[in-house]
Amino acid sequence: MVTDKAIERIANDYDLSTYTVKKAIEGSRYPLDFDRMVEEGSFCFRGPDDESRVDNASICLASKILANKGVQEYVLPIVCNRIKAWDHQNIEDLLNLLRKMVSIMELNPEDHPPIEICGLDIDHLPSEDIPKNIRPGYRIWAIDKKGMCLVGNDANEVIHIDDIPRT
């Protein structure tokens, strides 16, 4: 029950099918020991009722599943391909995909391959044309068709192009 709920949680959180998540788990080069994972995560099985306890345990188990390097190797390219195929319509969609990618990588940072492994160059995100007259030192990572820009040191802020300083 908790395992199925954890798989559903991953599928929902990362916009994947449960089939894809199960395939990532089954195809992992690093087999998952669900019994041990559930045992280690039993402290998460808390809450006022059974439904809350199962939900809390599934959150812990979902994180443990995604922290598996083999699962990450399967799931991360899917998220990266979605970033590369972003349709330039809504910058929030791109930001959400980037956050998903980072959240997966942060679960296992010391053992994670560089982002380039899935063919994504963070310095060249998909984007509409970025104006050339932006003030030096001000970084626009991407811009959508409505003029909303992804900015900030970590590409984690959104601002309209009209609010960006020009030279």
Side-chain angles (χ1 to χ4, degrees), residues 133-138 140 159-167:
N133 64 342
I134 302 301
R135 187 176 72 201
Y138 199 91
I140 297 177
I159 189 169
H160 194 273
I161 190 68
D162 292 342
D163 298 325
I164 293 180
R166 308 291 176 102
T167 56

Side-chain angles (χ1 to χ4, degrees), residues 34-160:
F34 282 108
D35 292 334
R36 191 187 96 243
M37 290 168 66
V38 169
E39 184 180 306
E40 289 174 356
S42 63
F43 69 91
C44 296
F45 194 74
R46 301 179 193 179
D49 53 46
D50 282 345
E51 186 176 339
S52 296
R53 288 190 282 276
V54 169
D55 280 345
N56 290 337
S58 72
I59 292 169
C60 289
L61 189 56
S63 291
K64 287 180 176 289
I65 291 169
L66 272 176
N68 178 277
K69 185 175 179 178
V71 173
Q72 288 182 350
E73 288 172 347
Y74 191 93
V75 172
L76 190 59
I78 294 170
V79 177
C80 289
N81 285 336
R82 289 178 182 166
I83 291 170
K84 291 187 279 190
W86 174 62
D87 63 6
H88 303 200
Q89 293 298 323
N90 185 339
I91 202 74
E92 293 290 340
D93 293 341
L94 178 61
L95 180 57
N96 287 333
L97 287 167
L98 290 168
R99 286 180 175 154
K100 288 175 183 180
M101 179 191 66
V102 169
S103 71
I104 292 170
M105 293 172 63
E106 285 178 341
L107 289 169
N108 199 4
E110 68 282 344
D111 196 26
H112 201 278
I115 192 170
E116 293 81 17
I117 197 159
C118 56
L120 184 65
D121 180 354
I122 198 71
D123 289 324
H124 297 93
L125 292 173
S127 176
E128 291 295 296
D129 290 334
I130 298 172
K132 303 289 183 223
N133 64 342
I134 302 301
R135 187 176 72 201
Y138 199 91
R139 176 68 190 264
I140 297 177
W141 296 88
I143 186 169
D144 70 15
K145 292 181 179 184
K146 296 175 278 190
M148 297 304 293
C149 302
L150 186 60
V151 299
N153 290 337
D154 296 323
N156 60 354
E157 299 172 41
V158 174
I159 189 169
H160 194 273

Side-chain angles (χ1 to χ4, degrees), residues 2-20:
V2 172
T3 304
D4 288 341
K5 191 119 174 131
I7 290 170
E8 284 178 31
R9 181 172 299 281
I10 294 168
N12 290 336
D13 288 352
Y14 292 90
D15 194 25
L16 303 167
S17 68
T18 55
Y19 171 80
T20 299

